[in-house]
Amino acid sequence: MERSSSNEYNTRIRELPSSERPRERLRDLGARSLTTAELLAIILRTGSAEQNVVNLATALLARHNGLAGLARLSFAELTHEKGLGEAKAAELQAAFELALRLRDLEPEARPYVRNPQDVYGLIGAEMGMLDQEHLRVVLLNTRNQVIAMPEVYRGNVGTSLVRMSEVMREAVRQNAPSMVLVHNHPSGDPSPSPDDVLLTKIAIEAGKVLDIEVMDHIVIGDHRWASLKQLGLAFPAG
């Protein structure tokens, strides 16, 4: 059974000098000085018998490709993570939900997406440098402002490997009425492949069922991009 006392927190990280303990570092240096793992450790409070809370937080982030991947896990999935139980899963989901609500308080600060160039301006430079294929979705509100840009898949972006439930999951969770698919070609050539076209067609049909409009699929290359919609691929004419 998990305990929440500060004594347990100190016991779990007693091997660390005070200057390296997350709570003390936050107190002395401010939250912005802490790493993501340290901030996560403060939320988790305690580690496990095998590892202290900082190592637990680091392992969770590594296993799920960062904070965004961890935030996509359901409550049930979180409870099955080693070192987590229902209490820690609830604390994590509460923290993620508060972050979403804070973001929603400042809608005017969100960037707009009106065309493929806007999408490229947001994440093109970052994705163009990746040496492995990554698939992200740019979730939009009714004003075409960005809600979020989560990564939904990493690896060869083929229709036999990408689960459409994962592609649509965050759009459903965040009630996004529309989305743009974005993935990169490590070769540097953004020309859409037959698999890219097929994936887009499947996503469009899945979106119709869920009442989520797939507005475009942007392929990122080396300082270049290609829009399947502009090329007349997968999307209906007109």
Side-chain angles (χ1 to χ4, degrees), residues 170-183:
E170 277 301 298
V172 172
R173 192 175 80 85
Q174 301 201 42
N175 295 315
S178 59
M179 64 191 294
V180 177
L181 303 177
V182 188
H183 88 279

Side-chain angles (χ1 to χ4, degrees), residues 1-233:
M1 180 179 295
E2 293 178 357
R3 293 174 292 174
S4 59
S5 70
S6 59
N7 287 337
E8 183 176 6
Y9 176 90
N10 291 330
T11 299
R12 295 299 188 189
I13 60 169
R14 65 182 182 273
E15 67 272 22
L16 296 176
S18 60
S19 61
E20 295 182 17
R21 296 173 188 167
R23 285 182 183 171
E24 286 75 4
R25 280 174 46 76
L26 187 147
R27 179 196 64 202
D28 298 337
L29 303 174
R32 286 192 174 274
S33 298
L34 273 64
T35 65
T36 301
E38 289 173 322
L39 292 170
L40 186 60
I42 291 174
I43 295 172
L44 293 173
R45 296 178 294 106
T46 62
S48 65
E50 293 81 18
Q51 55 189 344
N52 66 44
V53 68
V54 176
N55 290 339
L56 172 61
T58 301
L60 285 169
L61 292 169
R63 194 152 55 241
H64 297 288
N65 300 315
L67 194 60
L70 187 61
R72 286 197 293 270
L73 297 183
S74 67
F75 182 84
E77 289 170 330
L78 284 170
T79 61
H80 284 93
E81 288 291 320
K82 186 175 182 180
L84 301 186
E86 289 193 356
K88 285 187 172 67
E91 289 160 357
L92 286 175
Q93 288 216 317
F96 292 141
E97 182 60 29
L98 284 172
L100 291 174
R101 295 185 186 189
L102 179 61
R103 181 205 61 199
D104 289 343
L105 294 176
E106 302 175 342
E108 294 306 320
R110 300 177 189 167
Y112 287 87
V113 168
R114 300 181 179 88
N115 51 56
Q117 184 62 50
D118 288 341
V119 175
Y120 183 80
L122 288 171
I123 53 177
E126 171 192 345
M127 295 191 70
M129 298 175 63
L130 300 173
D131 57 6
Q132 185 181 19
E133 286 192 44
H134 292 237
L135 175 63
R136 297 175 70 170
V137 289
V138 179
L139 306 180
L140 305 173
N141 63 19
T142 55
R143 300 173 63 187
N144 285 348
Q145 289 176 292
V146 175
I147 298 173
M149 298 184 293
E151 179 181 295
V152 296
Y153 185 77
R154 181 180 298 189
N156 182 33
V157 179
T159 53
S160 62
L161 299 174
V162 178
R163 295 171 56 191
M164 198 50 56
S165 60
E166 291 299 314
V167 174
M168 295 292 173
R169 179 176 177 176
E170 277 301 298
V172 172
R173 192 175 80 85
Q174 301 201 42
N175 295 315
S178 59
M179 64 191 294
V180 177
L181 303 177
V182 188
H183 88 279
N184 64 301
H185 281 178
S187 67
D189 181 1
S191 301
S193 69
D195 269 351
D196 295 341
V197 176
L198 182 56
L199 176 67
T200 308
K201 289 180 178 179
I202 295 172
I204 291 171
E205 292 306 311
K208 289 178 181 178
V209 174
L210 298 169
D211 198 24
I212 299 169
E213 181 184 3
V214 177
M215 299 182 67
D216 204 343
H217 184 172
I218 311 298
V219 183
I220 306 295
D222 184 12
H223 302 290
R224 295 178 291 164
W225 54 265
S227 159
L228 271 74
K229 191 168 190 177
Q230 286 189 352
L231 293 171
L233 300 173

